[in-house]
Each structure stands twice: as C-alpha cells, then as structure tokens.
Amino acid sequence: MSLSFPTMAAIRFGYGFRPGETPPQNKDELIGQLGKGVAATPDFPLGGPDMRHRAILSLQEQLRQIREDAKTVTDDPARREMRKGVQHQAQQQFQHDANLRLMQAVLSPYGFYERLSTFWNDHFSTSANKSLPMRLIVPLYETEAIRPFIAGKFGDLLRSATAHPAMLIYLDQADSLGPDSAGGIKRNKGLNENLSRELLELHTLGAGSGYSQADVTAAAMVLTGLTIDRKEMDIAFRPNISQPGLHEVLGVSYGGRKRSRDDYLDMLDDLSVHPKTAAHISRKLAVHFVSDQPDEGMVSNMATVWKKTDGDLTAVYTAMLDHPAAWQNEGAKARQPFDYVVAGLRALNAGPVNGVVGSFLAANQQGTEEGDMAANTPGMAGSPVTTDPAGEARDKRLKAFRTARALGQGALKRMGQPTWLPPSPAGFEEGFSAWITGSQLAERLAWARRASAQFGRDEDPREFLKSTLADAARDETIRVVSQAPNKISGLTLVLASPEFNRR
C-alpha cells in the first residue's frame, strides 16, 4: 500500500475527508459502517416514507380527476392550469428529494455505505423521467428497496428491487400480460420483455454470459402476473394475466397449471446464486471501486465467496477489501460527478453538526424557480424555516438559492450525472474516459472556483490541502498550491488537482 490506510479508505471507498471527521482506521471499521448505515434513517424522501406513500396516492387521484374531466371538456383552461400545478408540485418535491439525497452523502459519516447505496441504485437503475408519479416514487425506491438490503443477501436485494413499483413502471412490466392468459386474451395484449431482458443482462448474469433469447422470453413468461395495483400504487400478483404452464429458464422450469408469485420469486432466488451472477457483479463492484481493469485474482476471490455464502454481500465486500489489489494503484479510477461534488462539499464542510456547507445548502435548497422558493418547506436537521422575504432581502435570498442550486443539482446536471435520471437501464458510465474529458474538467474547475469562493474564504490553502488529500497530495500539487496568489485560487487548485479528480 503506497498510501496510508485512512487515506485510501476515505478516498477510494468513501466520499473523501471531512474536517473533524475521523476516517476508518482499519477494514473492520470500514465494514462496520454498513450496519450503522442500514440502521440510520435516510433524510429522503421529504417527510419520510409513510408521508410519501400518501403523496403518491394523492397525486394518482389528482391525475385521475384530470383525466375524468378531460372526457367531458376538450379545452378547459382551468383543467390545464390544474394539471400544470400538479406537475409543478411533483417536480418541486423531486428537487427537494434530490437535494436531500446529495446532502445525505455529504453529511453521513458512513462513506462506504453511501458509496454502496449509490452503486446499487445505479445497478438497479430507474428514472424519475418515466412518468409524473415516478418523480415521487423513485426517491422512495432507493430508501425502501435498495438501502435496507445492501449489507445482506443479494437475493433479498434482487427481490426487493425487482418487485417494486419503480422498477415495474420503469421497465413496463405493468404492460406485460401472458398472451394465453385470460386477461391477455380478453385485452388482446401480450408479453413485454423489458424487465426480463434487463434482469438477465444487467441485474444478474451479465451480457454474453450464455443465456439465449429463449431464456429472455421464458423469464418474461414467469414474470407475468407481477404488476402494479394502480389504485394503491403497490405491487400485486394477478394470476389471471399470468401465462399458464411451465417455462424453462436456463434449464430450470418454473410455473405450472396454477401460477403464483412463488414462480417468479423462485426464479429470482436461483438467478441470485448463479455462478455467472457471482462473476458479473463481483467484477462490477471491483470496477466501480478499484480499477477499470480490476485484478482477476480479486474478482475471482469475490466470486468464490459469493458462491460459498449464497450471495452474502458483506462477505463479498470483505473479500474485495482483503485483497492486496484493493489498496494498490491509487488514482486508477475517475471520480464520477456525484462523487466529485460530494467530496468537494465534504472537504469544505468545516464546523459542527451540518457544517458551513450543510447549513447553507439546507437553508437555501427549497424551490426550483425564482418565484418558487417554498418558504413553508422544512429544512434539514432542524434548520430554521424562513419566510418569503421582500425587496433587498429577497434578492439576497434569491442569490443564495441560485448559488446552492449551482453547486448542487445544477452542477450534477451540467457534469452529466443528474440525480435519479440515468440515461438508460444500464445506469451511468463507469469508465475513466467517460468522465475525465476537456469539457468535464472545465466544468469541475468552474465548480471548484465557485465552491471555494462560497465556503473557503477563511481556509489556508496549504492546510486545506493536507486535510483534503493527506498523503495523496503529489509534490507538484503541494508546490503549486503553496505558490497560489490568494486563498481562493489555492483552494481551487486543490479541488481541481489530478489527485482530487481521481480515487
């Protein structure tokens, strides 16, 4: 190991250093973050899961009413305004959740757990752009279907992610009916293979792992019946739309004369412990955390542990951390935009509790447009709720809001990794070349300058370099920072350095 353990643990396996926060000192402390992270309550979605479920049902009812009204009135300005207001409210809630998701990563002392949450949410990608209700459902999906399961068995995580309204809506499973089922015949609708294809190609076995198109079709048959209860906005299994008979996937038969949810659950369980799944996801974890070309011995060890433990994810992570390759060749990976922004905000986040960054962003994270700063929305972690100011005070408030947006969600959008909006079911790009480009570095330099000016005016650049990069700082970076003409320039150089853009 060329760097100290705490430095590698913070940078490669976490979201970097935060002033006053002690990084993990050994592998046990790193793994120990998983249980603590699972036990902690996420800051999103706004109001908590129960309130969000009620908000989703309310949105569904509003949309139903708008559709009913449209049957009798073709061009009603009041109806158009109502729909516009419903859309605006849903988008506003989504922006709140995205801001809270960002601050969750910035403020959490459990960096390894947060990184894994991001990894698995991307592995089981869904997009809030699919439909208006998905603006409210996708943040809930990460909270209740991903985060509670990332330290347990992969089979449980696979079940939870697959059979969640967000996944079923995103991959059109609600439109998949057994062509020979009673419901399929009555409605003259048939199979949709989106979920089965991504289940095999992305979520479990991996592309090129030996499954056939026949397996994709058979898996889609097994999944029929799994659908959405639109009234309750929850999953349901309806035998009358499930394709009858036996369906063979990878040589194993599922189903029978009477179909039940056990059919697709048995298939998911088998896929979760399949050797190809073990190899595919072990490699994907190693690529995400360590190197675009990971050590084959490390990947093999992880896959072996997967097979021995039936996909115990904590054991697989431990196997990765136990391999020497996990602690070599620092800087082999590029920090993705979310990683970069979170690490930068953490580095600048001096002060107790939420710190200067957390307090500023919490106080100014509301709203999406100039006239929409949502003064009645509670802030984070007990932050005070402000009333809508007027005149000069309002201009100051608007400027702060714009700065918060520019340093948070605006930056992520410009850098190409907007929260919960992946470009496809495959998620965001992983490779170094996707993120270290001329345009990317220009955006990061601009972000570093603005963030440094906002939060770093009292920082000594040389001390900031030590606390941010520790022994990862190169001699050249130390020299350049020490010669910076002023504090802001010095801090900007740290955040724009090659070391800070890599992990």
Side-chain angles (χ1 to χ4, degrees), residues 156-223:
D156 294 334
L157 175 59
L158 180 63
R159 281 184 170 206
S160 178
T162 303
H164 190 278
M167 185 65 73
L168 302 187
I169 293 170
Y170 182 52
L171 294 180
D172 305 309
Q173 179 61 22
D175 296 329
S176 186
L177 284 69
D180 299 318
S181 67
I185 294 171
K186 181 179 180 181
R187 294 164 60 182
N188 194 29
K189 291 186 69 175
L191 211 57
N192 186 303
E193 296 183 354
N194 287 357
L195 179 58
S196 65
R197 181 174 296 105
E198 309 308 357
L199 173 65
L200 300 184
E201 179 179 333
L202 300 176
H203 301 163
T204 58
L205 307 175
S209 57
Y211 67 86
S212 66
Q213 175 57 42
D215 291 315
V216 173
T217 301
M221 295 289 193
V222 176
L223 288 166

Side-chain angles (χ1 to χ4, degrees), residues 7 29 70 76 201 231 234 243 267 286 310 352 362 443 486:
T7 299
E29 289 187 13
D76 181 9
E201 179 179 333
K231 184 176 180 181
D234 202 354
Q243 180 71 5
M267 181 179 71
D310 288 337
E443 286 289 353
N486 54 57

Side-chain angles (χ1 to χ4, degrees), residues 90-229:
Q91 180 62 22
Q92 189 178 39
Q93 285 184 282
F94 176 71
Q95 287 299 322
H96 280 298
D97 287 340
N99 291 335
L100 292 172
R101 174 66 180 89
L102 176 65
M103 292 313 301
Q104 172 82 29
V106 171
L107 297 178
S108 174
Y110 313 127
F112 187 39
Y113 173 79
E114 290 297 327
R115 283 282 308 282
L116 283 165
S117 296
T118 302
F119 169 84
W120 286 113
N121 195 61
D122 190 69
H123 179 77
F124 292 108
S125 277
T126 60
S127 174
N129 272 347
K130 179 72 175 182
S131 67
L132 193 62
M134 285 285 274
R135 301 287 204 282
L136 305 190
I137 296 171
V138 168
L140 182 67
Y141 166 72
E142 180 176 344
T143 296
E144 63 183 13
I146 303 295
R147 285 177 166 259
F149 300 97
I150 63 176
K153 294 278 190 176
F154 176 71
D156 294 334
L157 175 59
L158 180 63
R159 281 184 170 206
S160 178
T162 303
H164 190 278
M167 185 65 73
L168 302 187
I169 293 170
Y170 182 52
L171 294 180
D172 305 309
Q173 179 61 22
D175 296 329
S176 186
L177 284 69
D180 299 318
S181 67
I185 294 171
K186 181 179 180 181
R187 294 164 60 182
N188 194 29
K189 291 186 69 175
L191 211 57
N192 186 303
E193 296 183 354
N194 287 357
L195 179 58
S196 65
R197 181 174 296 105
E198 309 308 357
L199 173 65
L200 300 184
E201 179 179 333
L202 300 176
H203 301 163
T204 58
L205 307 175
S209 57
Y211 67 86
S212 66
Q213 175 57 42
D215 291 315
V216 173
T217 301
M221 295 289 193
V222 176
L223 288 166
T224 53
L226 175 60
T227 188
I228 294 286
D229 181 334

